[in-house]
């Protein structure tokens, strides 16, 4: 039965390749083959593609998120579609090699090469001259955090396999270099300065794949490396947790100060990823579950928010919250889509994000029930919900500007793309056990 199902999967792809002959559809077909390689590993404890590509449930779900986002991006209208589609397919292959490599050096190389594709997308399809400055900022921060990490890898070249990584003996400086390279890609506060700049200067396709997939690579690498030197991790636990909780509160307050929609969504990504950093640091079963829930939910939610922001920008020619006041109020479908995405970012039910944050706060309370920690978590929950509610209220209520009277319709393509961002986030919440590692 199982073998016949696998044969049917490949027959369906071959039939689609015969029917579809355009460049865009051929890229879509190649991507489907990559997807089927991933589907054949579903719900196995450990699946093997080759002698160097191995994967588990964490690899499966992170790569599924990547495939879903890339499929959405392939069908977006853009200049130079042939080059763009090839870039998306190369990105998909690189992400497969990243999430299924079982060697830290291989993972790191694919990790950095995939950023080069994003640089190409920003430079080719970005339209503001400041994008060069933003890219230089990102490259410099990547180099600064990567060089110490490469040195620590070279010092431990015999223990780079994820199977025996727990036997790697590293000192405090090597441990900090390992943390910094993943914290910069998540990113956490003080290593996040490149993120708002890159999001503002990049096209919507670059922002979507950067927020949905590439920010999750830091979380993925940190989950893989949590077993390194657990004693040192326990010594620094109080420092890491206090840093994570306080900076999450500060970043939530900074979100309330923003007037640019893209910048607000970028800073909200920092809030969620810093919470994921705290969850991974605890290294408990419940906290790891919460980190996976937040990663998958935030990946779909943030990409959808960037897409809807681009629709508002195309209507008003501005990303300002004040100028876009009430821009979606004439279209009930757009209001409903913006509502679900903002509430997923908040998070509110029925999104999978709220389960992730509940599990996270429960793990933190199990770790410490100190009054300061409880107060911090209450303030974080309130402030992180407040900026999402503010973002929803301003764009969907009020009288819009006279310059926006000839507003374009929220067409069927926009509706379908918005729904494609919401469907996984809502459906997974009906059976979240499928994400458990």
């Amino acid at each position: 039965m199982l073998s016949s199902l696998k044969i049917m999967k490949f027959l369906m792809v071959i039939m689609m390749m015969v029917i579809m002959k355009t460049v865009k559809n051929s890229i879509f077909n190649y991507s489907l083959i990559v997807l089927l390689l991933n589907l054949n590993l579903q719900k196995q404890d450990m699946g093997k593609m080759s002698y160097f590509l191995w994967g588990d449930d964490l690899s499966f779900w992170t790569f599924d998120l990547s495939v879903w986002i890339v499929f959405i991006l392939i069908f977006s209208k853009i200049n130079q579609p042939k080059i763009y589609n090839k870039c998306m397919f190369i990105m998909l292959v690189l992400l497969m090699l990243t999430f299924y490599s079982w060697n830290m050096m291989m993972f790191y190389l694919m990790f950095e090469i995939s950023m080069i594709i994003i640089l190409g997308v920003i430079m080719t399809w970005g339209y503001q001259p400041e994008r060069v400055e933003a890219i230089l900022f990102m490259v410099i921060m990547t180099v600064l955090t990567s060089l110490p990490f490469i040195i620590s890898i070279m010092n431990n070249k015999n223990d780079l396999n994820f199977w025996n990584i727990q036997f790697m003996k590293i000192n405090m400086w090597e441990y900090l270099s390992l943390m910094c390279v993943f914290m910069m890609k998540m990113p956490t506060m003080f290593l996040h300065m490149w993120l708002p700049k890159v999001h503002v200067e990049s096209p919507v396709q670059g922002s979507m794949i950067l927020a949905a997939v590439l920010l999750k690579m830091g979380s993925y690498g940190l989950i893989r490396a949590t077993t390194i030197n657990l004693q040192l991790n326990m010594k620094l636990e109080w420092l890491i947790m206090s840093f994570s909780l306080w900076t999450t509160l500060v970043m939530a307050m900074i979100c309330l100060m923003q007037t640019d929609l893209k910048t607000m969504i970028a800073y909200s990504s920092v809030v969620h990823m810093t919470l994921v950093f705290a969850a991974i640091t605890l290294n408990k079963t419940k906290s790891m579950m919460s980190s996976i829930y937040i990663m998958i939910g935030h990946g779909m939610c943030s990409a959808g928010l960037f897409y809807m922001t681009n629709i508002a920008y195309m209507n008003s020619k501005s990303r300002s919250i004040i100028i876009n006041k009430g821009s979606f109020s004439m279209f009930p479908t757009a209001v409903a889509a913006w509502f679900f995405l903002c509430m997923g970012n908040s998070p509110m039910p029925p999104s999978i994000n709220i389960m992730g944050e509940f599990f996270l706060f429960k793990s933190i309370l199990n770790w410490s029930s100190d009054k300061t920690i409880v107060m911090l978590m209450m303030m974080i929950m309130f402030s992180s919900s407040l900026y999402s509610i503010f973002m929803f209220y301003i764009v969907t209520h009020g009288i819009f500007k006279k310059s926006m009277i000839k507003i374009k319709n929220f067409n069927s393509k926009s509706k379908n793309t918005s729904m494609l961002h919401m469907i996984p986030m809502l459906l997974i919440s009906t059976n979240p056990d499928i994400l458990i590692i």
Side-chain angles (χ1 to χ4, degrees):
M1 182 67 181
L2 289 174
S3 61
S4 63
L5 285 174
K6 289 183 179 180
I7 292 169
M8 284 298 294
K9 288 177 183 178
F10 286 102
L11 283 176
M12 286 175 64
V13 177
I14 292 169
M15 289 171 62
M16 293 180 71
M17 291 181 73
V18 171
I19 294 169
M20 303 177 180
K21 293 182 180 180
T22 63
V23 174
K24 181 176 288 189
N25 290 330
S26 64
I27 297 295
F28 177 68
N29 293 327
Y30 299 149
S31 304
L32 274 177
I33 294 173
V34 177
L35 174 62
L36 291 181
L37 288 173
N38 191 38
L39 288 176
N40 286 328
L41 302 174
Q42 187 179 13
K43 306 311 291 180
Q44 298 178 13
D45 292 334
M46 186 59 67
K48 183 172 73 170
M49 284 186 188
S50 67
Y51 289 106
F52 70 98
L53 290 177
W54 296 66
D56 55 5
D57 280 351
L58 176 61
S59 305
F60 175 80
W61 285 109
T62 47
F63 185 62
D64 266 10
L65 173 65
S66 310
V67 171
W68 191 266
I69 293 295
V70 170
F71 277 4
I72 292 173
L73 292 178
I74 281 174
F75 292 102
S76 60
K77 188 177 180 181
I78 197 169
N79 297 327
Q80 299 176 331
K82 291 184 179 180
I83 300 173
Y84 173 74
N85 291 325
K86 288 177 182 176
C87 284
M88 289 297 105
F89 180 67
I90 293 169
M91 170 67 75
L92 195 61
V93 174
L94 287 173
L95 290 171
M96 184 186 73
L97 294 175
T98 303
F99 291 127
Y100 281 104
S101 62
W102 216 247
N103 181 280
M104 185 174 279
M105 194 65 192
M106 174 83 169
F107 169 74
Y108 174 72
L109 288 174
M110 297 300 108
F111 183 85
E112 298 296 347
I113 292 171
S114 59
M115 296 296 289
I116 297 174
I117 305 294
I118 286 295
L119 297 186
V121 169
I122 296 171
M123 286 300 295
T124 307
W125 289 280
Y127 46 85
Q128 294 178 357
E130 289 84 0
R131 66 185 187 277
V132 179
E133 181 184 348
I135 285 174
L136 283 175
F137 198 8
M138 182 172 72
V139 169
I140 289 170
M141 290 197 68
T142 302
V143 170
L144 287 177
T145 53
S146 295
L147 288 177
F149 177 72
I150 293 173
I151 294 170
S152 63
I153 282 181
M154 291 170 66
N155 290 337
N156 299 276
K157 60 183 182 297
N158 296 323
D159 298 315
L160 294 181
N161 195 299
F162 284 131
W163 282 107
N164 55 7
I165 201 169
Q166 64 267 26
F167 303 113
M168 187 188 291
K169 294 181 180 179
I170 58 176
N171 56 35
M172 183 176 288
W173 295 110
E174 290 175 340
Y175 179 80
L176 290 175
S177 70
L178 185 87
M179 297 283 280
C180 281
V181 74
F182 294 130
M183 286 168 66
M184 185 263 169
K185 288 294 193 301
M186 289 179 73
T188 54
M189 192 172 175
F190 302 120
L191 293 172
H192 74 282
M193 286 81 76
W194 62 274
L195 185 68
K197 288 180 176 293
V198 171
H199 272 307
V200 166
E201 306 303 333
S202 67
V204 61
Q205 291 83 6
S207 292
M208 286 168 67
I209 198 164
L210 183 65
V213 180
L214 296 186
L215 295 188
K216 309 302 174 288
M217 284 188 183
S219 310
Y220 176 86
L222 208 57
I223 290 172
R224 292 292 188 211
T226 45
T227 53
I228 299 178
N229 208 336
L230 290 176
Q231 292 181 350
L232 191 56
N233 191 14
M234 291 176 67
K235 287 181 182 178
L236 297 174
E237 205 170 58
W238 267 102
L239 179 63
I240 293 171
M241 290 300 297
S242 58
F243 165 79
S244 301
L245 293 176
W246 279 110
T247 52
T248 302
L249 180 61
V250 171
M251 291 307 299
M253 296 297 181
I254 290 174
C255 283
L256 287 169
M257 298 165 56
Q258 301 305 313
T259 57
D260 188 305
L261 277 171
K262 257 195 170 184
T263 311
M264 181 180 283
I265 300 167
Y267 278 119
S268 72
S269 298
V270 181
V271 173
H272 288 96
M273 289 298 103
T274 309
L275 286 174
V276 170
F277 178 57
I280 296 170
T281 303
L282 289 174
N283 200 20
K284 305 294 182 184
T285 304
K286 204 171 288 183
S287 65
M288 287 298 182
M289 285 168 53
S290 70
S291 66
I292 302 299
Y293 291 162
I294 296 174
M295 282 167 60
I296 301 298
H298 175 261
M300 300 310 303
C301 177
S302 60
L305 286 170
F306 278 118
Y307 181 77
M308 294 287 289
T309 301
N310 184 63
I311 293 172
Y313 172 76
M314 295 300 290
N315 290 329
S316 65
K317 305 303 178 187
S318 174
R319 293 187 304 268
S320 172
I321 293 177
I322 305 302
I323 293 177
N324 284 294
K325 183 178 180 181
S327 59
F328 289 154
S329 60
M330 298 296 291
F331 302 101
T333 315
V335 172
W338 187 250
F339 173 76
F340 276 109
L341 291 169
C342 287
M343 292 305 102
N345 196 48
S346 181
M348 295 287 179
S351 169
I352 187 65
N353 302 51
I354 192 167
M355 296 192 66
E357 297 215 3
F358 275 161
F359 278 122
L360 169 62
F361 291 139
K362 183 66 171 66
S363 303
I364 294 174
L365 284 176
N366 291 340
W367 171 71
S368 173
S369 56
D370 187 72
K371 292 180 180 178
T372 309
I373 300 291
V374 175
M375 287 296 296
L376 260 177
M377 286 194 295
M378 290 176 64
M379 293 169 69
I380 289 169
M381 291 175 71
F382 175 74
S383 56
S384 64
S385 301
L386 194 60
Y387 66 76
S388 297
I389 295 168
F390 172 72
M391 186 163 58
F392 164 73
Y393 177 79
I394 291 293
V395 179
T396 57
H397 290 74
I399 301 172
F400 51 81
K401 303 292 182 182
K402 290 182 179 179
S403 58
M404 292 173 59
I405 287 177
K406 294 183 180 180
I407 188 169
K408 293 180 182 178
N409 289 328
F410 189 63
N411 57 28
S412 59
K413 182 178 179 180
S414 303
K415 294 174 188 176
N416 292 333
T417 308
S418 304
M419 288 297 293
L420 285 173
H421 286 101
M422 290 185 287
I423 286 170
M425 188 173 62
L426 300 176
L427 286 183
I428 293 174
S429 63
T430 61
N431 185 18
D433 291 342
I434 59 175
L435 293 181
I436 296 176
I437 305 171

